[in-house]
């Protein structure tokens, strides 16, 4: 239903508008290109729309301002890292106070016990450890699972994403496990390390785990990084039954699905994982993550954790669990990501979903908008059933146009897909601004 020639022409217009609006960002990007690989500190920053990346000047609450002085309604929120809103006063105060007392000592701080107890209260798992990122936490958990079970492989969902963990950058190509497209220099052959199964397919999971070589299943309760793919009725209960029957440890990665509530999908949906990983927003934007486990798993790991060579076990990091990060987590969890915060944020995501759906219906488009807690996302197809279907539906030309159209009109979406995330500091006016901009974009594209 989309005229691709018209789409290309509109995209070119928006590119010119972007360049006219952001001369200072263009200058900084040109200067950075001489010393930064690809002109950015991290490769994925090249995924933002526009011919060069914006440079941010400041961010507070639900607003971001770039170096050209343009302000945006921020519906990206650091791709979940700032899900609490930017520049939390409580975190700023805690960081300042702790920095004056020292940042890193390789010793526990008084905040450590409080953080572990609060995470246990929220997620229902009694024993916790810290990491610098969810990638690190996932990597450590996979090591523990292989150690505890003596099995060589891990299992993941097709088209999942769990950070830069080598074993998880794998997808299915027919019946073969192959590296995920775009994965650079795979460390090992993922067909040797990893089993991959489609999301929402219990029969495939049962068959694969029945081979007896899988240590753990690492999964999101709902797929998010290929776009939101929700579990079907009874699916997660079936996953738990199958993993237990085959002696496979179940690991929930709640780094993005924390958007469901204070204890993520695990608490909201009464799930019973053996281990759980959470990162990004728990530090109010400060790099930190955590992983929890059942009492049984903790008891089995107690011996190795006290071993003389635990410092070279492949689990750790000199700056991990530092006092500054723990102070940030305590300040964040004591003042944010609570029931009352989600009670404000989730209705905003519902309002966003309704607004986008009304535009789609008005134009009779075969598109869809999906919501998970305070996160929502639109698709240019019916709702996908699994990761492969979601990946096949990606329309980079259409996504690029809509992202750039929104950005040029003061609305910032997550660059990797059409995701909007809501915090307690967003307002209904912020939601309605996106609906207005989205409606104008679709009308211009479809009807002119």
């Amino acid at each position: 239903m989309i005229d691709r020639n018209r789409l290309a022409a509109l995209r070119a217009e928006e590119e010119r508008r972007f360049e006219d609006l952001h001369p200072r960002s263009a200058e900084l990007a040109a200067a950075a290109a001489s010393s930064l690989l690809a002109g950015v500190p991290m490769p994925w920053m090249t995924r933002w729309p526009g011919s060069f990346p914006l440079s941010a000047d400041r961010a507070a609450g639900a607003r971001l301002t770039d170096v050209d002085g343009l302000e945006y309604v921020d519906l990206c929120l650091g791709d979940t890292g700032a899900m609490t809103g930017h520049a939390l006063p409580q975190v700023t105060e805690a960081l300042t106070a702790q920095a004056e007392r020292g940042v890193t000592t390789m010793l526990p701080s008084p905040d450590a016990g409080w953080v572990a107890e609060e995470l246990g209260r929220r997620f229902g798992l009694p024993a916790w450890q810290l990491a610098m990122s969810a990638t690190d936490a996932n990597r450590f958990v996979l090591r523990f699972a292989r150690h505890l079970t003596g099995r060589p492989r891990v299992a993941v969902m097709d088209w999942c994403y769990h950070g830069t963990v080598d074993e998880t950058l794998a997808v299915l190509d027919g019946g073969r496990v192959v590296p995920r497209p775009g994965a650079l220099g795979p460390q090992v052959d993922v067909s040797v390390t990893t089993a991959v199964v489609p999301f929402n397919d219990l029969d495939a999971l049962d068959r694969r785990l029945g081979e007896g070589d899988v240590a753990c299943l690492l999964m999101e309760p709902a797929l998010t990084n290929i776009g939101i793919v929700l579990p079907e009725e009874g699916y997660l209960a079936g996953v738990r039954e199958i993993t237990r029957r085959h002696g496979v440890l179940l690991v929930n990665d709640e780094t993005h699905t924390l958007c469901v509530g204070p204890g993520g999908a695990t608490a909201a949906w009464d799930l019973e994982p053996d281990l759980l990983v959470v990162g990004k927003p728990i530090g109010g934007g400060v790099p930190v993550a955590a992983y929890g486990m059942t009492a049984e798993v903790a008891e089995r790991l107690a011996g190795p954790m006290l071993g003389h060579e635990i410092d070279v076990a492949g689990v750790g990091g000199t700056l991990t669990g530092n006092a500054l990060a723990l102070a940030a987590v305590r300040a964040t969890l004591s003042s944010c990501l609570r029931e009352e915060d989600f009670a404000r944020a989730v209705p905003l995501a519902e309002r966003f979903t309704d607004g986008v759906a009304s535009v789609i219906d008005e134009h009779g488009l075969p598109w869809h908008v999906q919501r998970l807690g305070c996160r929502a996302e639109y698709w240019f197809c019916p709702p996908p059933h699994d990761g492969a279907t979601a990946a096949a539906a990606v329309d980079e030309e259409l996504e690029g146009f809509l992202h750039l159209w929104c950005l040029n009109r003061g609305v910032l979406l997550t660059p990797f897909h059409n995701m909007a995330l809501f915090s307690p500091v967003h307002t209904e006016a912020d939601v309605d601004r996106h609906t207005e901009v989205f409606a104008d974009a679709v009308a211009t594209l479809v009807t002119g």
Side-chain angles (χ1 to χ4, degrees):
M1 298 181 66
I2 302 300
D3 182 334
R4 293 289 158 168
N5 291 327
R6 179 168 181 76
L7 174 60
L10 288 171
R11 174 67 183 267
E13 288 180 16
E14 292 305 310
E15 290 284 2
R16 290 190 291 271
R17 181 186 181 99
F18 174 84
E19 292 170 3
D20 291 342
L21 286 170
H22 304 103
R24 181 57 181 154
S25 280
E27 291 174 3
L28 291 174
S34 65
S35 53
L36 287 170
L37 179 63
V40 289
M42 280 289 289
W44 48 254
M45 291 181 181
T46 62
R47 292 288 304 278
W48 286 98
S51 53
F52 50 83
L54 291 183
S55 283
D57 178 55
R58 60 189 179 275
R63 293 290 189 276
L64 183 146
T65 304
D66 68 22
V67 293
D68 288 288
L70 301 177
E71 186 178 84
Y72 305 85
V73 174
D74 188 0
L75 301 183
C76 172
L77 295 178
D79 193 23
T80 308
M83 196 172 85
T84 57
H86 296 288
L88 290 170
Q90 301 92 331
V91 173
T92 300
E93 181 181 345
L95 292 176
T96 301
Q98 184 59 55
E100 292 176 346
R101 301 196 302 272
V103 172
T104 185
T105 62
M106 290 188 69
L107 293 168
S109 71
D111 292 328
W114 187 96
V115 167
E117 289 179 6
E118 176 63 12
L119 290 170
R121 184 188 70 80
R122 287 176 177 236
F123 291 99
L125 295 168
W128 290 83
Q129 285 272 289
L130 275 292
M132 286 292 288
S133 68
T135 288
D136 277 348
N138 282 322
R139 187 179 293 117
F140 300 160
V141 164
L142 297 187
R143 280 186 173 271
F144 287 142
R146 287 191 294 260
H147 171 78
L148 291 174
T149 64
R151 297 175 179 177
R153 295 181 192 265
V154 299
V156 296
M157 294 295 162
D158 195 21
W159 290 95
C160 69
Y161 187 74
H162 298 284
T164 58
V165 181
D166 288 296
E167 300 98 315
T168 67
L169 295 172
V171 296
L172 288 174
D173 180 10
R176 299 184 306 122
V177 175
V178 299
R180 180 173 178 145
L184 296 176
Q187 179 185 14
V188 291
D189 184 346
V190 288
S191 68
V192 174
T193 63
T194 309
V196 179
V197 294
F199 194 73
N200 277 325
D201 190 335
L202 291 175
D203 289 338
L205 179 66
D206 196 11
R207 287 194 302 271
R208 185 60 190 84
L209 297 191
E211 295 183 29
D213 59 348
V214 171
C216 69
L217 171 64
L218 172 62
M219 67 177 294
E220 294 182 294
L223 294 184
T224 64
N225 275 286
I226 193 63
I228 298 170
V229 180
L230 298 176
E232 296 178 347
E233 185 70 28
Y235 172 68
L236 295 177
V239 168
R240 181 66 282 193
E241 187 278 324
I242 290 168
T243 51
R244 281 184 172 144
R245 175 157 44 85
H246 293 294
V248 173
L249 295 171
L250 176 61
V251 186
N252 280 359
D253 185 345
E254 291 270 19
T255 298
H256 280 183
T257 54
L258 183 60
C259 64
V260 174
T266 295
W269 300 344
D270 296 321
L271 308 180
E272 298 179 352
D274 299 296
L275 300 108
L276 181 146
V277 168
V278 65
K280 290 193 177 180
I282 65 170
V286 173
V288 65
Y291 54 101
M293 61 201 75
T294 63
E296 178 186 358
V297 171
E299 182 178 359
R300 294 172 64 192
L301 285 174
M305 293 291 281
L306 298 174
H308 177 69
E309 295 180 333
I310 191 61
D311 58 319
V312 293
V315 175
T318 303
L319 299 180
T320 299
N322 68 77
L324 195 71
L326 284 163
V329 177
R330 182 168 186 169
T332 302
L333 296 185
S334 61
S335 61
C336 301
L337 302 174
R338 304 161 299 177
E339 291 287 356
E340 56 263 42
D341 299 308
F342 283 94
R344 286 182 53 83
V346 170
L348 295 174
E350 293 171 342
R351 187 182 183 94
F352 175 95
T353 302
D354 292 342
V356 170
S358 69
V359 174
I360 292 171
D361 291 344
E362 177 185 352
H363 293 280
L365 294 167
W367 298 357
H368 179 73
V369 58
Q370 193 82 286
R371 185 183 65 81
L372 178 69
C374 61
R375 175 190 301 262
E377 184 162 16
Y378 37 89
W379 296 84
F380 308 122
C381 66
H385 167 81
D386 54 32
T389 306
V394 171
D395 188 326
E396 293 185 2
E397 293 176 349
L398 194 49
E399 285 185 9
F401 163 69
L402 280 167
H403 278 72
L404 196 54
W405 179 284
C406 289
L407 186 151
N408 283 342
R409 290 154 184 80
V411 179
L412 207 62
L413 296 168
T414 303
F416 311 117
H417 31 85
N418 311 305
M419 191 273 285
L421 185 65
F422 294 92
S423 72
V425 291
H426 281 100
T427 65
E428 291 185 350
D430 294 334
V431 177
D432 295 344
R433 176 58 181 158
H434 170 270
T435 302
E436 175 187 1
V437 168
F438 178 75
D440 287 346
V442 174
T444 302
L445 178 62
V446 174
T447 69

